[in-house]
Amino acid sequence: MRISLLGPPGAGKGTQAARAAARFGLAHLSTGAIFREEIAKGTVLGREIEETVKAGLLVADGTVDRVVFSRIGGEGGFILDGYPRTLAQARSLDSFLDRSLPLDGAVFLDVSEEEVLKRLCGRYDCPSCGPVRAPGGACPVCGNALDRRPDDEPTVIRRRFQEYHRATGPLLSYFGDRLCTVDGNMGVEEVWSKLEEALKTWA
Ligand code: AMP
């Protein structure tokens, strides 16, 4: 199965893509996670994209395409998380994959701006426990001080949401009958059960 998971920031792409990867034996490729790791390591790529990512803007298509094409593959198929995000990226991906195996389809996790704001404003990272949902301050599990992703500040969240719709709207029609939409406004378990049903049609 070769799938892309689309959706605005806060749609739950990371959580749901990790579940899908485990359930269907897929490689999970998240462009956002790759970029955050490159930034944390201070690599050439990390330094090049840092400002853009922290401001909630989109990284240049050519840069993202190169990152994805150098990592994509795997016998058991893959799930792309957060890529493609623009029409140009979708076209490059299709022509890259045409040489081997095309993308089976894309799932759009549809979430409202209100829900995104509610979710991301409460998203923090504990250096020991990982992502936690807490009102800031201390980790409810181990008491460590919590960090917040710089692009999870409320003004940046709004910009990321608007940027997402501006760039990604045309993608949805590009995928046409290869696109399946799942309502992402529900809880994690309910979204997963709908997503699992949708993915079974490609398994
Ligand atoms: P995410 O974790 O998917 O919300 O991505 C975090 C940030 O990484 C985004 O706000 C963008 O700055 C950048 N990014 C991730 N994927 C892409 C992509 N496909 N195209 C352009 N920028 C991206």
Side-chain angles (χ1 to χ4, degrees):
M1 191 195 309
R2 295 167 304 282
I3 293 292
S4 168
L5 191 59
L6 314 172
K13 297 188 297 294
T15 307
Q16 299 293 347
R19 280 201 168 191
R23 162 74 173 79
F24 295 99
L26 309 172
H28 175 195
L29 202 100
S30 158
T31 43
I34 293 170
F35 291 153
R36 283 187 288 282
E37 196 183 313
E38 296 284 329
I39 292 169
K41 286 188 189 157
T43 63
V44 174
L45 172 64
R47 290 197 301 273
E48 181 190 321
I49 60 170
E50 184 165 10
E51 295 269 296
T52 309
V53 172
K54 289 190 173 161
L57 300 171
L58 290 182
V59 173
D61 290 330
T63 306
V64 193
D65 292 343
R66 273 196 304 281
V67 165
V68 173
F69 299 165
S70 66
R71 298 176 190 233
I72 208 168
E75 290 287 302
F78 53 78
I79 182 157
L80 301 174
D81 161 2
Y83 178 89
R85 233 158 163 129
T86 66
L87 198 49
Q89 290 176 14
R91 290 192 171 127
S92 312
L93 176 66
D94 269 342
S95 61
F96 177 81
L97 290 177
D98 261 358
R99 286 180 237 138
S100 47
L101 288 165
L103 200 67
D104 290 314
V107 179
F108 175 49
L109 279 185
D110 193 9
V111 184
S112 70
E113 184 168 1
E114 257 174 44
E115 181 65 22
V116 162
L117 270 170
K118 197 171 79 189
R119 288 182 188 176
L120 297 190
C121 287
R123 179 164 83 174
Y124 287 84
D125 273 319
C126 167
S128 310
C129 310
V132 291
R133 298 218 167 268
C139 173
V141 181
C142 70
N144 271 333
L146 296 174
D147 293 326
R148 170 181 255 173
R149 273 172 52 172
D151 57 350
D152 276 349
E153 294 299 331
T155 47
V156 182
I157 295 171
R158 279 193 196 281
R159 187 181 314 135
R160 287 167 64 207
F161 189 86
Q162 283 150 11
E163 180 80 354
Y164 178 84
H165 279 291
R166 186 191 59 76
T168 313
L171 253 192
L172 305 182
S173 30
Y174 173 82
F175 279 114
D177 58 12
R178 288 190 294 165
L179 183 83
C180 161
T181 299
V182 167
D183 181 356
N185 292 293
M186 302 168 291
V188 174
E189 296 304 326
E190 289 138 301
V191 173
W192 167 244
S193 96
K194 300 269 179 219
L195 178 62
E196 188 183 22
E197 280 309 302
L199 293 179
K200 277 183 191 161
T201 62
W202 286 302

